[in-house]
Every structure is written in structure tokens, then in C-alpha cells.
Amino acid sequence: MKKAIITAMFVLVALAGQAQKQVVWENPSAFMGASNSEFKITKVELKQTETVLHIEAHYRPGNWIRFAKESFVQTPDGTKYGITGGAKTDEKESDLQLDSLFWMPESGKASLALHFKPVPMDTKEMDFMEGYNDGDFKFWNICDAKTQQKVVMPDDWKNVQYAKDETLPAAKINKGVATIKVKMLGYKPAMKLQFYVGGFTPLGSKERFQKFFPFADDGTVKVEVPLWLTREVTVGVQGMAFPQIIIGPGQVTEILMKVTSDNKPFVAFKGYMAKTNMDLINIYDEFDSFDDGDETYLKVKACNTKEERLRCLQDIFDQRVAAINKFKCTKAAKDLMCMTAEEDFVKWSRQFEFHFSQYGVDEGGTVYMTQENIYEKMQKNKDLLALTDEERNYTYKYLNEPASPCSLAFWQSGASYDLKAREKNAYNADLRALAFIMSTDHNVLIDSTLKGMENEDCKAVYHEYQAEQERIAQQLAGQKSVFIKKYDDVAPENILQTILDRYKGKVVLIDIWATWCGPCKAGHQAMAPWKQELKGKNIQFVYITSPTSPLATWQEMIKDIDGDHYYLTKEQYSYILKHFESEGIPTYAIYDTEGQQTFKNIGFSSLDIFKNEVEKVLK
């Protein structure tokens, strides 16, 4: 009996010893930037013989992923532990060969195990990296979710005091610069993160503001945004979150963030509207389904009559406002949320056939969105909520208050619905009118709208914009290879030949583009090295754009695009696209030395195509 007891004790000691040879982190915390939703570390095993990362991949079926044999995990002291293999550890996982293509199954899901040399058993945090290049896999700040370290507040952020309440300022034009200062906790220079500010068109501009600003090595970034009004803007970091906050001209907004994978990177605010900005972060987390079109679609789909549908939309709006008013936050935050809810109500009730027609339900009951056959669907659904003139005559309750221009929803909503805007708030009506004339090139409409505006400071914004455009145009007009206003008097039907006549005896490659067109810019980048190879040869690159490209942006961008640049009138530009039977950009055309068109392509597909076509005609 005594022997049996001793044996049992040895077994327990052995088991205890074995247990100490392995540490397991279940569902660890990790940040993977833009790929957070595609890859997840489900478990980390720290053993005396190896370290294993268990990864769940959600990726496009039929596409491949690959992990390099140079991959490693790195501990906070900088020590690297190389990868040793990708063998599965159970039947639910798939074998992975390093440096080989792993093809995703039809399910779009795969479980994998990555094996590394053993890190110390007392390790609390590590990074996984394939390398330091932009396309390499990187999992940052991997740690046990249960023992994840609490945020250590910097000294200058300790005991931040928030105001008890804040209200939105009434609309007042006050030209200045809004400053945003950000500090990111847990930042590492190799992360190369960027801070985004955008989602709005500044007053006095035609160009939408959306820019990424790189963090410095110490995890800080400073952003300056030219503004005329206090505005709600979108901020954030890819892979984390993109909420809205309030910034103002001449004001400083300070933000403390942390590197995180839980979509809650915002820790604290200081400076302008700090309490409201912190509340906006929390309230959007709480009411993230407020603009949930799926939910709205399902509710109105269940209605049988026009009256039921209108009542349903009104009920959704009323319920949202009631829920907002119960939330503990500043009046400013509540007002902004109510404006967003109202804008959502108006767009559904006033453009019902368009919004309703974008949705459908599959056989499994899942709601989906599609633009397929949208116009046919709109025709079919046009009478589901056809409003009378009296019903359509809606006056905003929240989006026509003196402070409403602070809200993104104010600028996104359709001015045509606010038929009593001037009667209730003439200043807001002028701001809407100003935004309208900034978006049009119709001189008669611009002149008549300016005459109807009551506030001189609103008119002054447009006049200053006009003066700046004229200054830029004069500056550009004196530059070689830049043609602006020079051909304004040429009839649209003659403009293409007028341009081609300048290059008689040369091969001409025409590129029709715009500053806001992503594929256009990608084409420029792809062609740049090839153009260097063609230097000195009998070919001219010609770039054509129109007033849809903001002049200041065009001026800046063409500095890096070698060739001749034409800024045509809207009518000339439209005629050329029509001549090439194109409804999209970029549009390309090649002409031989005799002035005959030999090639046309809509969209940039492959550089080799252009190389082959040019070789055919280049002598």
C-alpha cells in the first residue's frame, strides 16, 4: 500500500512537471492592421521544445496565402526565434509548407499551425513577422488576453478632467486651421501606421478631404486641417476604428490611442470638445446599428401599404431619437446622433425606391446589397412609397438648427427636401447654397444663387475660392507643357484635332484622367518606368482632364507626370470621351505618326498591352 502511495505521488509530481513545461494563451490579443478580419491567432502554446501559433484564416476561396521560411517571432528584448514548420497539430488543421502556396478551400476558412523555436516560458508578449516589407504578414503585440497589460497612462494624460456638458457652436465662418495631435501607446516604428482624417468636403473647396498621415517613430502624429467651420470629421487607423469626432478652426484636439485588435483604440481626449469626442466614441459603439440599412429594409419589407411603410420609417426614427436621449453624454453628442438619425430617415422616406431597391434576401434569409439591375428594380418599386407634395414638404427638426452645420449629416442630406430652410434658418440655407455652387460649373446657376444669398461672409468664401483659382490658372499658364484656358474658345468638336495637330509626325499616347480617379493614378505609376525607357524617342504623352479635377490638386500632381497636360472645359472633355465612345476613365488612345488612331482602351489593364501597341507604330 505504501509503495502504491509513493508511486501515485511520483505520477502527480511528473504531471505537475509536465504542466509547467507548457503555457497556453487562449484567444490571445494581437493586432494585424488591415488584415485583422482575415487572420486571427486562436491559441499560442509556449513549450520548452517549441512555440506554436494556431491561426484561423478567413480568405477568398481559391486564392492562396504563403508564409516565408524567414518568418520569426520576436520578444520585447529584440530576440528573434525562427519558424521551423507548418505541420498541423490535429485533424481540424491543415498542413502548410513554408514558402509554398497554400490554396484556400471553397469554405474560405482554414486552420493552420506555425511552429517556431521555443521562446522563454515567462514571455508575456511577442510579435510575429515574415519580414519588414509592406506585403509581409505581421502580428503585433501578441499576448494572453487574460493577462493583457493595462494601459499605462503617460504623465501628461493622467487625471484628464472632462467638462460636465458641451453644446455645439452655432454656424459661423471663421477661417483657420484645426490641429489634431495624436499619441499612440504600444506603437513600434516597424508598424508604419498612418492616421486618417477625412470624410468631408471643406467649405470653400471642391475637393473631398481624405488624407493619411504617418506616425513618427515615437508614436506621435500632428495633423493640420484648413477649415472655415467647426466640423464633424472621420478619423482613425486602418485595422482599428474610424469614428467621427469634432474639430474646429483655430482649435487643438489631442487624442490618446493604443495599438489594439478590439476596435477600441481611443483612450482619451484633451482640448477642443474633449468630452463630446469621448462620448462620440462611446455612443457610436453603443449605437453602431443606427445606420443599419439591413434592419430598416427588413422592417419596411414586412409592410403591406404605403401608409404602413411611412409609419414604420417614422417609428424607426422616433425610437432611435428616444434611445439617444436616454444615453448619458453631452448635448452636443446627442444632437449629432439625432442629426444622423434624421438624415437616415429622410433619405429612406424621400428616396425610398433607390435605397429599398439595393437590398435583397437570399435563400438562407441573409440580407445582401447589390447594384445589379438597380434601375429596373427602382421602376418596379417606385410606387411603394410615392409621397404627395404635402407629405414631401418635410422640415428638418435637427438638421436645420444653428449648430447643425457641425454635422456630416447636414452636408450629406439633400437640400431639396428642406423646403423651409430659409424661413427657419437663413444662414444654414446660405451654407447649403455655398456647397451647391462649389460643386457646379454652371455660371448662370452660380450667379443667381449668389444673388439670393443674404450673408456676405458666405459669399466671400466663394469669391476667395474664385480668386485662388484664377491665381493658380495664371501661374500654370506660363509653364511649358501645361495648357490651361489656352483652348477654351475652341469648339468641343474641334478640340481633339487641335491637340493632335500640335504633334504632327509623332506617335501620341492620350491619357484621359482625373485627379480623384484611383485607376488613373495607378496607370500613371505603372507607366512611369516605361516612359523613362522611351526618352528621346518619337512619342509624346498627352494627359487630358477637366474641371472635375480641383485645380490646386491637378497643379501638384502633374509635377510628377512627365508629358503635356491639358485642362479642358467640361464640354470639350465630354466631347472627347463621347468621340472615344467611353463612359469611364482612364481612357487611352494611341495615334501613329500620320495622325491615325491605332488603339483605344478604357481602363488600365496591362502595361504590356501599351508596350506592344506603341512598338507597332513607333519608328
Side-chain angles (χ1 to χ4, degrees), residues 21 61 142 235 348 481 491 499 518 583 599 601 618:
K21 291 179 182 178
I142 307 167
V235 298
W348 269 92
S481 299
I499 292 173
E583 295 181 355
F599 173 77
N601 201 58
L618 193 57

Side-chain angles (χ1 to χ4, degrees), residues 553-571:
T553 305
W554 184 69
Q555 178 190 34
E556 192 62 30
M557 288 180 66
I558 62 176
K559 292 177 183 176
D560 300 319
I561 307 171
D562 189 29
D564 282 2
H565 295 270
Y566 292 81
Y567 195 88
L568 302 183
T569 67
K570 179 182 176 182
E571 293 74 21

Side-chain angles (χ1 to χ4, degrees), residues 177-193:
V177 173
T179 303
I180 305 173
K181 297 179 180 179
V182 186
K183 171 66 177 176
M184 177 74 79
L185 301 176
Y187 182 77
K188 298 169 184 175
M191 291 178 176
K192 299 180 182 178
L193 296 181

